[in-house]
């Protein structure tokens, strides 16, 4: 899973064009005058939209390594949101005015990806998601997490962070306005999720400013910053925390507990939101990049659950466990030998597994991305309420590595048998490979280098778990059980997400179905179900994307026979960049045709 947004940012267009980083703008191909004129105009459009996306979302600019907006937050006022939405509609009109047939095949793909993204953004506007800016997994209550992607190498870097700290009360106030508007429109999150948020806000209410999460960057400085400057910056930070940040959060907590929480909805289904059935149908299409409806996705999920259960029965027999599959699940959840005793031991084990994977990658890839990755613990203040792990992409200019974040909260519920599949998914060759390869794609607009389609990205990461077999990493049957458990996890998602949001399932019913079909611990399962409630439709993308990539692999192997090279196939999938699944299928079919012809 990609790291959830630190803030509920405004919806903006696909990242387009060329940033003001040390990266060269792709040169449009030589062609006839009409094609060249159209192509140059299209690339100017891409560049303009890219710059707009950075201005509108300073947080996103920081993520990709552009420091120009590191001193500000997104403007979350209703007026600014309306302006952004109007700009998206105008951008869609401009893009559709281009003559697509005058473009090269490569530029047609760029055009199609941008068109899909803009149409999706414009259709999304009617559902006013910005009225739900806070979830149990992130929001203004966790704004300090932004610091984790910032450089903090110069005095200006610290000054920029101080500027963001000073502006935090405005962001809190804007968020409060959106939430009040959401109450009026009856567009609120489920109360069962929002009950987790007050504890996150309270973590900001410190008596000692040095203990504030916002102060963390000032607890250490690079050697190049003089001692006098360090003292000045740290003193200013403490003043801002004491006089602006803590009071802002204290007011926000009062609003949240007294006004907002009592008015959140008691139901869980997306269908219960305004125009909710159409909203969930939209989300299913948006996240899977297909036309699959909820009923069909539910059926696919049930079929996959049955298939994977049969594979689990084989592993149970292999290890000689006497008892039912349910009893085997309970054994996997509770036997102390499957768990580390301390967070420190668990973290070291994650690092060791990552290093074990690295040298085996050459078995399944010809191209290894240059950008490194590291392993970090999920911050303590959100660990109890979030998932087992997630990935944070690196900076486009290579100044920040990618990071695999692992949850060390309650090591007694983090089983060893899940760690290999999890690491293959979140780090390499899963999310880190996909993002790093995308950033290194030559001669493509920037929005194609960092764009993200959930079905492609999460589908690839789930497919990457399977590559552990090709790399010889599942020699232990319990590790294989972990891979099956993770595959089952994503199959169960198809059933419970559609069940809760379109078929009237209760939260308890979804938890029970999950517990009955997967050995993940109850702590993880409850957090997962709450994630699906708070982020409807997103969980559908993983298995749908994996099934498509696996289908394409089998098609290529069947049609190419002795000419099939798994390393080349995997490289080709990643060389496509993040795209809707239909575009990926066309790309792989064209690759198969070329290979067959050669």
């Amino acid at each position: 899973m990609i790291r959830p947004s630190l803030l509920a940012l405004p919806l903006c267009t696909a990242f387009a064009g060329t940033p003001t980083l040390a990266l060269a703008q792709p040169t449009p191909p030589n062609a006839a005058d009409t094609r060249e004129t159209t192509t140059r105009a299209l690339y100017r459009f891409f560049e303009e939209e890219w710059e707009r996306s950075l201005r509108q979302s300073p947080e996103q600019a920081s993520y990709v390594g552009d420091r120009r907006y590191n001193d500000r937050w997104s403007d979350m006022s209703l007026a600014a949101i309306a302006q952004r939405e109007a700009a998206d509609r105008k951008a869609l009109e401009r893009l559709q005015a281009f003559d697509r047939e005058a473009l090269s095949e490569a530029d047609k793909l760029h055009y199609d990806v941008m068109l899909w993204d803009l149409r999706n953004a414009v259709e999304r506007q009617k559902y006013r998601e910005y009225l739900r800016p806070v979830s149990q997994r992130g929001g203004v209550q966790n704004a300090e997490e932004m610091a984790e992607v910032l450089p903090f190498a110069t005095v200006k870097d610290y000054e920029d962070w101080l500027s963001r700290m000073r502006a935090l009360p405005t962001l809190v106030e804007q968020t409060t306005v959106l939430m009040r508007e959401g109450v009026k429109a009856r567009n609120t999150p489920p109360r069962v999720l929002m009950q987790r948020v007050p504890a996150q806000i309270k973590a900001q209410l410190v008596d000692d400013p040095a203990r504030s999460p916002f102060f963390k960057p000032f607890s250490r400085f690079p050697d190049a910053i003089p001692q006098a400057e360090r003292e000045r910056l740290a003193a200013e930070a403490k003043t801002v925390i004491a006089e602006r940040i803590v009071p802002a959060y204290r007011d926000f907590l009062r609003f949240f507990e007294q006004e907002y929480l009592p008015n959140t909805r008691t139901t869980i289904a997306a269908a219960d939101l305004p125009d909710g059935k159409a909203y969930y149908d939209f989300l299913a299409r948006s996240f899977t990049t297909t036309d699959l409806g909820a009923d069909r996705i539910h059926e696919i999920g049930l079929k996959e659950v049955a298939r994977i259960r049969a594979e689990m029965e084989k592993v149970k027999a292999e290890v000689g466990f006497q008892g039912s599959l349910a009893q085997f699940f309970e054994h996997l959840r509770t036997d102390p030998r499957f768990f580390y005793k301390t967070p420190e031991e668990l973290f070291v084990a994650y690092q060791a597994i990552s290093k074990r994977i690295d040298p085996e990658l050459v078995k399944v890839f010809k191209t290894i991305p240059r950008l490194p990755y590291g392993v970090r613990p999920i911050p303590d203040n959100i660990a109890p309420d979030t998932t087992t792990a997630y990935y944070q992409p690196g900076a486009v200019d290579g100044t920040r590595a990618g990071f695999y974040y692992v949850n060390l909260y309650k090591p007694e519920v983090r089983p060893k048998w899940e760690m290999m599949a999890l690491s293959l998914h979140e780090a390499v060759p899963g999310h880190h490979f996909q993002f790093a390869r995308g950033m290194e794609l030559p001669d493509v607009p920037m929005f194609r280098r960092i764009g993200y389609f959930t079905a492609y990205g999460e589908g690839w990461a789930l497919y990457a778990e399977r590559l552990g077999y090709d790399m010889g990493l599942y020699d232990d049957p319990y590790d294989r059980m972990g891979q099956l458990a993770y595959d089952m996890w994503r199959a169960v998602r198809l059933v419970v997400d559609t069940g809760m949001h379109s078929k009237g399932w209760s939260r308890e019913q979804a938890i029970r179905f999950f517990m009955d079909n997967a050995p993940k611990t109850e702590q993880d399962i409850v957090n997962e179900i709450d994630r699906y409630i708070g982020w409807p439709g997103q969980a559908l993308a993983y298995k749908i994307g994996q099934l498509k990539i696996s289908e394409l692999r089998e098609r290529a192997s069947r049609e190419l026979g002795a000419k099939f090279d798994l390393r080349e196939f995997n490289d080709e999938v990643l060389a496509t960049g993040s795209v809707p699944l239909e575009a990926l299928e066309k790309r792989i079919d064209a690759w198969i045709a070329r290979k067959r012809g050669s």
Side-chain angles (χ1 to χ4, degrees), residues 467-523:
L467 292 177
Y469 291 103
D470 300 298
M471 290 187 279
L473 295 170
Y474 290 128
D475 48 357
D476 186 306
Y478 288 104
D479 284 342
R480 294 202 300 278
M481 189 65 190
Q483 185 275 323
L484 290 171
Y486 268 48
D487 204 20
M488 176 67 88
W489 174 17
R490 282 41 173 258
V492 163
R493 287 175 170 179
L494 301 185
V495 180
V496 298
D497 196 287
T498 53
M500 289 188 293
H501 292 297
S502 72
K503 294 182 176 295
W505 283 30
S506 68
R507 178 173 179 262
E508 292 69 29
Q509 185 178 357
I511 291 171
R512 178 47 49 194
F513 184 86
F514 204 147
M515 292 284 290
D516 288 346
N517 288 286
K520 284 185 72 65
T521 60
E522 187 169 3
Q523 168 86 23

Side-chain angles (χ1 to χ4, degrees), residues 60 79 156 258 398 436:
Q60 184 61 41
K156 186 178 187 307
Q258 297 179 9

Side-chain angles (χ1 to χ4, degrees), residues 348-358 416 419-420 423:
V348 169
Y350 272 120
Q351 291 176 312
I353 283 180
S354 297
K355 288 305 177 186
R356 182 185 168 198
I357 294 170
D358 287 348
K416 297 175 183 178
M419 295 170 69
M420 178 59 74
S423 300

Side-chain angles (χ1 to χ4, degrees), residues 54 66 102 108 116 142 255 331 350 390 425 579:
L54 298 182
D66 189 318
K108 283 178 182 177
W116 194 100
N142 309 125
F255 155 76
H331 168 66
Y350 272 120
Y390 52 73
H425 181 109
V579 294

Side-chain angles (χ1 to χ4, degrees), residues 116-238:
W116 194 100
D117 241 351
L118 282 170
R119 283 175 170 169
N120 190 70
V122 170
E123 184 178 359
R124 186 182 294 270
Q125 292 177 5
K126 71 181 78 169
Y127 302 113
R128 304 181 76 192
E129 291 172 315
Y130 55 81
L131 297 183
R132 304 190 307 277
V134 167
S135 79
Q136 86 281 11
R137 298 178 60 246
V140 73
Q141 75 274 20
N142 309 125
E144 85 287 344
E145 291 180 32
M146 188 76 249
E148 291 194 35
V149 303
L150 300 175
F152 294 108
T154 67
V155 170
K156 186 178 187 307
D157 292 333
Y158 285 88
E159 294 282 11
D160 285 344
W161 183 237
L162 280 168
S163 295
R164 268 182 167 149
M165 290 169 61
R166 294 186 190 99
L168 193 279
T170 299
L171 183 63
V172 171
E173 182 180 354
Q174 291 176 339
T175 301
T176 302
V177 170
L178 294 178
M179 294 166 77
R180 283 197 172 110
E181 188 68 20
V183 170
K184 292 179 185 177
R186 297 189 177 182
N187 190 340
T188 62
R191 187 173 304 166
V192 69
L193 305 185
M194 293 298 96
Q195 289 170 344
R196 294 180 177 226
V197 174
Q200 298 174 7
I201 304 173
K202 289 175 184 176
Q204 302 286 359
L205 304 182
V206 296
D207 294 326
D208 179 2
R211 300 184 64 183
S212 167
F214 282 88
F215 189 77
K216 185 177 178 181
F218 301 93
S219 62
R220 61 182 181 273
F221 291 87
D223 294 340
I225 295 181
Q227 183 63 32
E229 287 284 54
R230 299 182 194 188
E231 293 174 2
R232 178 184 67 82
L233 292 167
E236 288 188 25
K238 290 179 181 179

Side-chain angles (χ1 to χ4, degrees), residues 452-468:
Y452 187 72
F453 289 87
T454 309
Y456 174 94
E458 297 294 356
W460 168 263
L462 184 51
Y463 166 81
E465 295 175 21
R466 167 185 171 175
L467 292 177

